[in-house]
Amino acid sequence: MKTLIKIFAAAAALGLMPAGAAAQEANLAQPKQELAAQPQSAGAPRDQISAQSQASPAQPQEVSDPALATPAAEEPSNSQVAQTMLGAGTKPTPGIGQPDGRMGVQDQFTPIGEEAAWFHNVILMPVITVISIFVLILLLYVVIRYRRAAHPIPSRTTHNTLLEVVWTLVPVLILVVIAVPSIKLLANQYSPPKADLTVKVIGNQWYWNYQYPDHGDFELTSNVLSDADAKKRGEPRLLGVDERMVVPAGATVKLIITSNDVIHAFGVPAFWVKLDAVPGRLNETWFKADKPGVYYGQCYELCGARHAYMPIAVEVVPPAQFAAWVASKGGTMPGGAQRASGDETATSPITNPAATAADVTNTSGGSATETSPEPSNIVNAVGTAPVSTQGATNSKRGDSQ
């Protein structure tokens, strides 16, 4: 009977496997006409590379094929990287905010990152080193001192009160030394100061969306650049993106992190920031970077076939340049004039009887009259949310099947 049940279970599993594989391939596929109809990011792209990437995001075969990868001898130099970084005129210091082959953590550029690096370098590493050396010396001593040739009659000692007290108290004291700065670091991480701006980070398969609710609620879609485009810009391979998150230097940035599909993780090593993006949950963290530059990160949670192709790029710029960037994206700075809306009702005499005809602003672009001429600077500031097509096209693996 048990054998029969096992046979039925195996047959059922084999019968369901093809259906599951077909469903997975169907989720990855999408008609090309639907992809062409999807909207793009708010605001004008920074350059032709960004425009092409937003219209047709790079696919895995464009960034993972060894034949297409940038050879080590042709990688851009630090000076090229510093000169070609895009954004509001930012010229970052070469070598910051990206992997450079060293052992240990990256240079930190936030208060929390500096505190964590100090804790790692001054507390953890010395303690770990001393303990490892002590245990190694103790093992060598025991091996040599109590080998059979030098100690043919084994000791009959079963208890040593002093030794037992020492090896109980010393680890406790070590843990206390580690715990005090560790708890302080955790308290600072999860007790942020008042935020100067908020950025909502949304993970998708396989790209990022950045929303700025404090600046007109515009949204960006950030896709990985192909090897060819990354080389043109002088950006690190698999880290360059067509649209970066841009924040002002010296500002406390609150990040609200979530996901639209599966669990992702937003992380920037140079900021000491890493937090999961979970569907249906809003996780919160923060950072404050004083040094202008471009800082890279990646998704740190295995999220599917293209997990390796959703990098993060955060550009820190001076406040004046950040305001110019916000304006270029169709947003507004807090306290400034609000963006016009086609369904504006705040000044409508119907919903607001106190409003007069002179207060009503024509933002719909309708026909002009003698008493109400057509405005000359109509801007359609209301757009649909940007959607990337990166996760919807067939992958190389899917085409081969």
Side-chain angles (χ1 to χ4, degrees):
M1 186 64 181
K2 292 182 178 180
T3 304
L4 186 61
I5 293 176
K6 291 181 179 179
I7 293 175
F8 283 143
L14 292 175
L16 291 176
M17 285 176 62
Q24 184 177 6
E25 294 297 331
N27 289 333
L28 291 176
Q30 185 173 357
K32 292 185 178 180
Q33 58 270 24
E34 292 184 8
L35 300 179
Q38 290 180 342
Q40 302 301 318
S41 299
R46 297 185 175 193
D47 60 1
Q48 187 63 27
I49 293 178
S50 292
Q52 293 176 355
S53 179
Q54 288 288 313
S56 180
Q59 298 303 307
Q61 60 268 26
E62 298 177 300
V63 291
S64 63
D65 190 342
L68 297 176
T70 305
E74 298 182 10
E75 289 184 355
S77 64
N78 286 338
S79 59
Q80 289 175 322
V81 172
Q83 292 173 2
T84 58
M85 287 302 181
L86 299 181
T90 304
K91 292 185 178 180
T93 302
I96 68 171
Q98 58 182 290
D100 55 8
R102 78 178 70 179
M103 293 181 63
V105 298
Q106 292 185 20
D107 292 339
Q108 297 299 306
F109 296 91
T110 63
I112 291 297
E114 292 174 354
E115 183 179 354
W118 175 88
F119 177 57
H120 175 270
N121 297 332
V122 178
I123 302 295
L124 291 184
M125 290 304 296
V127 169
I128 292 172
T129 302
V130 170
I131 291 176
S132 299
I133 294 175
F134 172 75
V135 173
L136 177 61
I137 294 174
L138 187 61
L139 284 174
L140 293 176
Y141 172 78
V142 171
V143 168
I144 296 173
R145 173 67 177 81
Y146 295 102
R147 68 188 191 278
R148 177 178 291 183
H151 200 75
I153 300 176
S155 173
R156 299 290 181 177
T157 302
T158 58
H159 295 286
N160 187 307
T161 303
L162 177 61
L163 185 61
E164 292 179 354
V165 170
V166 169
W167 73 36
T168 300
L169 290 182
V170 169
V172 171
L173 295 177
I174 294 174
L175 291 177
V176 170
V177 170
I178 295 175
V180 172
S182 177
I183 293 174
K184 180 182 177 182
L185 175 62
L186 287 173
N188 292 338
Q189 279 185 279
Y190 294 99
S191 300
K194 183 179 179 181
D196 296 312
L197 75 153
T198 300
V199 179
K200 186 175 181 181
V201 179
I202 306 173
N204 303 272
Q205 290 181 307
W206 287 270
Y207 58 95
W208 296 96
N209 285 99
Y210 304 123
Q211 296 178 356
Y212 288 75
D214 298 337
H215 299 82
D217 204 23
F218 65 92
E219 182 172 349
L220 306 174
T221 299
S222 181
N223 302 287
V224 64
L225 288 176
S226 65
D227 280 333
D229 290 341
K231 186 176 180 180
K232 290 178 183 177
R233 284 190 175 180
E235 298 207 39
R237 179 173 177 265
L238 294 181
L239 292 177
V241 297
D242 51 18
E243 288 288 349
R244 301 176 182 141
M245 177 197 298
V246 180
V247 298
T252 300
V253 182
K254 179 169 71 173
L255 299 178
I256 299 177
I257 302 173
T258 187
S259 171
N260 278 334
D261 35 53
V262 299
I263 298 178
H264 302 275
F266 181 90
V268 180
F271 294 165
W272 205 266
V273 168
K274 179 179 177 294
L275 195 63
D276 282 350
V278 183
R281 178 180 297 179
L282 298 178
N283 291 332
E284 181 180 324
T285 186
W286 70 285
F287 68 87
K288 178 183 178 182
D290 295 323
K291 186 178 183 63
V294 181
Y295 305 87
Y296 296 97
Q298 288 180 317
C299 176
Y300 286 85
E301 190 73 36
L302 186 59
C303 58
R306 303 178 196 175
H307 160 69
Y309 309 115
M310 51 182 304
I312 299 160
V314 179
E315 186 170 358
V316 180
V317 299
Q321 296 179 357
F322 174 74
W325 176 82
V326 169
S328 72
K329 294 300 179 182
T332 57
M333 296 299 292
Q338 299 297 316
R339 292 194 299 171
S341 173
D343 59 350
E344 182 66 53
T345 58
T347 58
S348 170
I350 299 177
T351 58
N352 185 6
T356 62
D359 296 327
V360 179
T361 303
N362 182 8
T363 59
S364 61
S367 60
T369 63
E370 183 178 355
T371 58
S372 178
E374 181 73 17
S376 60
N377 58 346
I378 297 177
V379 177
N380 183 15
V382 179
T384 55
V387 178
S388 171
T389 60
Q390 181 182 3
T393 56
N394 289 329
S395 65
K396 185 176 181 181
R397 177 174 174 269
D399 292 339
S400 62
Q401 295 176 349

